[in-house]
Amino acid sequence: MTHPCCFSVSKAFKFATAAGQQSISFRYKLKFPFKCSSRQIHMENNHSSDSRGALIVLEGLDRCGKTSQSSRLVSYLEGLGHAVESWRFPDRTTNVGQMISSYLANKSHLDDHTVHLLFSANRWEKRSLMESKLKSGTTLIIDRYSYSGVAFSSAKGLDMEWCKAPEVGLLAPDLVLYLEISPEKAAERGGYGEERYEQLEFQEKVSQSYKTLSESSWKIIDATLPIEDVEKQLRENVLDCLTVCQKGKPLSELWLS
């Protein structure tokens, strides 16, 4: 379905390009005539009892363990016979994703507004495929989503409502698993500091932004626990979520009135 608040990928990309030239003035021209919430999407045959896959997102600071736990979850669900796929944002295989990858590796420099819109466009590139996968019964385990985009950009000083605007209309997760860890603890893990945002002071700001974004769909998991204990908690929450979605929970859209 199409909503007037939704950006197509092409529009989002053009928007990102324009933002690189007029980011400051744009920031104050964007209006928000809606309140942030979610809106349900009916299944194609309008039977809300239809079974579907679950949209499950792992969020958290850099080096909190999202990628390894995502992989473990996928293997576990496959072993139980579920149709499941592992996704990750940014998706660096797309044209937009390659631009983002260059930026994150400190190989290019872009205006903060432009970067945010590129990240959003990267998610919009996969929106249609995401919906079709879920409706076909495939569960998606996603490493980072819109919450990361908003948390990181607002940590740079961009207005949080401005950051949410291009995400409006993307699919809302059924479950967000937030792996909680302090920036200091995360910095002790291997590979820290290899990418642009892996800096203690900045990660602390990101942590505060995440707290502001927390919603009823979030489950907070202590990421400092042993890997097996974290994995056990994730499994329990995911299985509960899958059961609800298989019973026909409608899909929803992110931050719509």
Side-chain angles (χ1 to χ4, degrees), residues 18-28 111-114 162:
Q21 300 173 340
Q22 300 180 349
S23 58
I24 301 302
S25 61
F26 173 80
R27 177 175 179 175
Y28 295 99
D111 171 81
D112 287 340
H113 295 79
T114 303
W162 186 94

Side-chain angles (χ1 to χ4, degrees), residues 211-236:
K211 291 178 181 178
T212 301
L213 291 168
S214 180
E215 300 174 338
S216 60
S217 63
W218 288 41
K219 297 294 183 182
I220 311 299
I221 308 295
D222 184 354
T224 64
L225 294 173
I227 292 176
E228 294 76 13
D229 292 344
V230 173
E231 184 177 13
K232 181 180 178 181
Q233 292 188 50
L234 295 181
R235 287 179 177 184
E236 292 172 352

Side-chain angles (χ1 to χ4, degrees), residues 127-211:
R127 201 265 192 209
S128 295
L129 179 60
M130 179 183 291
E131 184 169 347
S132 65
K133 288 281 187 181
L134 294 170
K135 288 183 175 180
S136 72
T138 299
T139 287
L140 301 179
I141 306 296
I142 300 183
D143 183 348
R144 295 204 182 283
Y145 195 53
S146 298
Y147 303 101
S148 280
V150 175
F152 278 72
S153 290
S154 60
K156 298 179 194 177
L158 302 188
D159 179 76
M160 184 169 286
E161 294 304 315
W162 186 94
C163 294
K164 285 182 176 180
E167 309 292 316
V168 170
L170 288 170
L171 295 181
D174 297 298
L175 173 65
V176 176
L177 298 165
Y178 182 75
L179 302 184
E180 188 172 49
I181 189 172
S182 70
E184 291 78 16
K185 286 290 185 181
E188 296 173 2
R189 298 186 171 184
Y192 193 88
E194 292 178 356
E195 289 200 330
R196 183 182 292 267
Y197 296 135
E198 293 178 348
Q199 303 170 20
L200 283 176
E201 184 178 353
F202 181 73
Q203 291 286 316
E204 181 59 42
K205 293 178 181 178
V206 173
S207 177
Q208 294 303 315
S209 293
Y210 269 129
K211 291 178 181 178

Side-chain angles (χ1 to χ4, degrees), residues 24-51:
I24 301 302
S25 61
F26 173 80
R27 177 175 179 175
Y28 295 99
K29 291 178 181 178
L30 188 60
K31 304 298 181 182
F32 301 90
F34 51 83
K35 292 183 178 180
C36 290
S37 60
S38 297
R39 188 180 68 180
Q40 293 180 347
I41 302 174
H42 294 292
M43 305 302 276
E44 290 178 351
N45 59 6
N46 291 323
H47 290 299
S48 60
S49 61
D50 281 359
S51 176

Side-chain angles (χ1 to χ4, degrees), residues 36-133:
C36 290
S37 60
S38 297
R39 188 180 68 180
Q40 293 180 347
I41 302 174
H42 294 292
M43 305 302 276
E44 290 178 351
N45 59 6
N46 291 323
H47 290 299
S48 60
S49 61
D50 281 359
S51 176
R52 67 168 176 86
L55 178 55
I56 298 169
V57 173
L58 276 74
E59 289 282 6
L61 301 181
D62 290 340
R63 308 295 170 176
C64 69
K66 298 180 306 304
T67 301
S68 59
Q69 289 294 349
S70 294
S71 177
R72 286 169 175 260
L73 269 177
V74 169
S75 296
Y76 172 68
L77 293 176
E78 286 178 338
L80 295 179
H82 293 282
V84 59
E85 291 184 10
S86 177
W87 287 24
R88 186 177 185 178
F89 287 107
D91 181 342
R92 305 190 191 205
T93 65
T94 69
N95 289 334
V96 174
Q98 289 172 15
M99 296 176 65
I100 294 171
S101 183
S102 176
Y103 170 80
L104 290 176
N106 288 304
K107 295 179 181 178
S108 64
H109 300 279
L110 298 169
D111 171 81
D112 287 340
H113 295 79
T114 303
V115 171
H116 182 77
L117 294 169
L118 285 174
F119 271 91
S120 183
N122 189 234
R123 287 182 279 274
W124 276 103
E125 288 180 295
K126 306 300 288 288
R127 201 265 192 209
S128 295
L129 179 60
M130 179 183 291
E131 184 169 347
S132 65
K133 288 281 187 181

